[in-house]
Amino acid sequence: MTAAATATGGAWIEPSDCDVDDFRAQVSRDTALADYPFATDVRENVLVYSAAALARADRRALQAELIHALADGPGVVVFEGAVADDVVDRASAAFTTLIDAQRAAGTAAGDHFGKAGANDRIWNAAQKLAIHAPEVFADYYATDALALVSQAWLGPRYQVTSQVNVVNPGGAAQVPHRDYHLGFVDEGQLTAYPAHMHRMSTALTLQGAIAHCDMPLASGPTMLLPYSQRFVGGYVAFYRPEFIEFFAAHHVQVPLRKGDAVFFNPALYHGAGTNTSKDIHRMANLLQLSSPFGRAMESLDRTAMVRAVYPALLAMKAAGRSERDLANVVNATAEGYAFPTNLDHDQPIGSLAPPSQVDTVLAALADTISPEALDVALSAQNERRIP
């Protein structure tokens, strides 16, 4: 990892690692175009690249530059003209059809960091586009700029998920945040993860967005705080008022044109901006590009395991075993992660993530519900997760 990323010397993130003056020192720097020979411009401290020019560049050297930019540099890059206009238009038409179908069905999508129902969102947009318009999907994801930066950050076998977000006129800004994985962990649990996990989390995903319309400043393009990914305590600190205030005073926004793409380190502080325009329905395809290594070696039927073990857990509780003992058994038995899931049905309303199976079992134990009642809850949870 980088020198900045290893600044935290202890095993855990401590209060001293969340000092806003240290944060200010990390982000108060300028991006020099001369340090990034493949870039064409610097706007608001954000590196800008021409997708057309990148096609002729030395790929390995360019990817090395992108790695440096995302890890130690501003943490965010823009590719101008990443997706051809006609391909974007065809995808936009398909997405609009899917949104219209959602509205007709009376479904409103939640939002991790914004008010549910205020805007339009398509969860699992990659799968829905592939099934609804496979030819459009193929042309869209043939985009080499997407592959170039994904392979630079994650290696050759990255995985794509996406959510389409339409911020309608008057749509309010999101709260500033970091992203998946640790960005979706409840505030009270973050310091239970050791400092090296805070550093590692940034290497597991790459965030991106493709503009499906022109995005002038009035439309509220993504608010960004360059260099904020360098601050190790940032997953804990972004909840704190002084950090939210600092972001409000110092964030930048870069206008985009249709077909432009922005990619950023998931630890970069960011959030959708307020759409103050009268008539721009700001559509972006939000990309989450994931490492293929975040999976276990064996596939287990955790639900079957829970059903088998839960009566023993009830007996342990009745015998006076400690909550820690019970939690240890649950963590070894149930699925502890809420993702991947079907966010159409298993939405994170009122929280950053839907409940995991571990959460469901611990809640059942707390209330001492019967195995039959837990079985109903598990079946319903599994049903919500099915694509």
Side-chain angles (χ1 to χ4, degrees):
M1 300 297 289
T2 67
T6 56
T8 294
W12 309 97
I13 301 297
E14 304 290 352
S16 60
D17 298 315
C18 301
D19 185 275
V20 73
D21 290 329
D22 292 341
F23 183 65
R24 180 182 290 107
Q26 285 284 9
V27 303
S28 299
R29 58 190 71 213
D30 296 320
T31 305
L33 184 61
D35 294 337
Y36 300 91
F38 291 101
T40 57
D41 199 4
V42 174
R43 298 175 195 158
E44 300 290 348
N45 247 4
V46 174
L47 287 164
V48 179
Y49 293 83
S50 164
L54 297 184
R56 302 185 295 271
D58 180 295
R59 197 173 186 90
R60 192 79 165 180
L62 170 58
Q63 288 180 323
E65 179 172 308
L66 292 172
I67 293 168
H68 173 65
L70 293 167
D72 296 317
V76 53
V77 297
V78 169
F79 290 172
E80 291 186 314
V83 186
D85 281 357
D86 66 308
V87 176
V88 173
D89 290 341
R90 290 162 61 210
S92 294
F95 290 142
T96 299
T97 299
L98 292 169
I99 290 170
D100 290 344
Q102 285 184 171
R103 289 177 177 171
T107 57
D111 192 338
H112 297 294
F113 297 98
K115 183 179 178 181
N119 301 307
D120 293 298
R121 183 178 282 260
I122 305 174
W123 297 115
N124 196 9
Q127 176 179 310
K128 290 174 181 174
L129 181 62
I131 292 172
H132 175 75
E135 297 84 2
V136 176
F137 177 92
D139 284 341
Y140 192 90
Y141 285 105
T143 299
D144 193 53
L146 169 61
L148 174 80
V149 67
S150 300
Q151 290 167 355
W153 193 245
L154 300 164
R157 294 293 180 263
Y158 60 92
Q159 300 174 61
V160 176
T161 56
S162 82
Q163 304 92 37
V164 170
N165 196 36
V166 181
V167 179
N168 298 312
Q174 290 179 321
V175 295
H177 58 277
R178 284 180 163 187
D179 254 321
Y180 194 75
H181 294 265
L182 281 183
F184 283 22
V185 172
D186 286 340
E187 180 182 6
Q189 298 178 1
L190 279 165
T191 54
Y193 289 86
H196 69 267
M197 292 296 294
H198 286 246
R199 296 190 290 269
M200 185 189 71
S201 181
T202 65
L204 293 175
T205 58
L206 177 69
Q207 301 300 127
I210 296 174
H212 277 246
C213 64
D214 289 348
M215 296 183 180
L217 291 179
S219 72
T222 303
M223 302 178 293
L224 307 160
L225 188 57
Y227 297 97
S228 56
Q229 84 285 356
R230 296 167 56 93
F231 189 64
V232 181
Y235 287 106
V236 177
F238 82 65
Y239 289 95
R240 301 187 175 189
E242 64 269 30
F243 284 82
I244 295 173
E245 292 168 5
F246 186 94
F247 181 90
H250 297 91
H251 73 264
V252 301
Q253 292 172 276
V254 179
L256 300 174
R257 295 190 63 84
K258 181 175 68 177
D260 290 352
V262 58
F263 296 95
F264 52 90
N265 186 310
L268 189 87
Y269 278 35
H270 67 281
T274 299
N275 187 346
T276 62
S277 74
K278 302 291 187 182
D279 56 359
I280 300 174
H281 295 264
R282 194 184 79 238
M283 177 186 284
N285 188 20
L286 309 180
L287 299 169
Q288 186 177 85
L289 307 150
S290 298
S291 166
F293 297 142
R295 299 185 176 191
M297 182 178 291
E298 296 178 311
S299 58
L300 305 178
D301 187 342
R302 299 256 176 212
T303 301
M305 294 169 65
V306 168
R307 287 172 175 150
V309 173
Y310 185 67
L313 284 164
L314 289 176
M316 290 173 67
K317 180 180 180 181
R321 296 289 292 271
S322 70
E323 289 187 5
R324 177 176 293 180
D325 285 352
L326 295 174
N328 289 346
V329 177
V330 173
N331 284 324
T333 308
E335 173 55 58
Y337 205 37
F339 302 105
T341 190
N342 182 341
L343 285 165
D344 277 319
H345 302 142
D346 195 25
Q347 294 197 12
I349 295 174
S351 64
L352 296 175
S356 69
Q357 194 177 65
V358 164
D359 295 326
T360 299
V361 178
L362 289 175
L365 268 178
D367 293 337
T368 320
I369 72 171
S370 68
E372 292 77 17
L374 175 60
D375 190 57
V376 171
L378 291 173
S379 296
Q381 184 175 44
N382 289 341
E383 185 69 23
R384 290 193 300 270
R385 295 170 64 84
I386 294 173

